[in-house]
């Protein structure tokens, strides 16, 4: 699995969109998590730092 991190919308490439994209606004993270779960997401994993994720 490849993980691409774009810190701002301006850095996100528009010509190479991926099959699956996840966008999290950290200021609204709890609302985003609740909405994702309500919409049928199987799980949500939260990390304090992108370097700490483990799949």
């Amino acid at each position: 699995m490849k993980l691409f991190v774009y810190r701002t919308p301006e850095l996100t490439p528009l010509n190479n969109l991926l099959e699956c994209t996840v966008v999290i606004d950290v200021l609204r993270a709890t609302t985003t998590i609740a909405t994702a779960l309500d919409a049928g997401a199987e799980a949500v994993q939260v990390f304090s730092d992108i370097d700490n994720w483990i799949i």
Side-chain angles (χ1 to χ4, degrees):
M1 175 164 117
K2 292 183 180 181
L3 176 68
F4 299 95
V5 177
Y6 303 104
R7 304 268 182 210
T8 66
E10 295 79 21
L11 296 176
T12 306
L14 297 177
N15 60 345
N16 189 14
L17 298 178
L18 303 173
E19 189 173 312
C20 176
T21 303
V22 177
V23 178
I24 302 293
D25 178 342
V26 295
L27 297 176
R28 297 179 184 93
T30 54
T31 302
T32 303
I33 292 167
T35 302
L37 292 171
D38 185 56
E42 293 181 18
V44 174
Q45 295 183 352
V46 180
F47 304 96
S48 61
D49 189 309
I50 196 67
D51 296 326
N52 294 329
W53 71 281
I54 298 173
I55 300 289

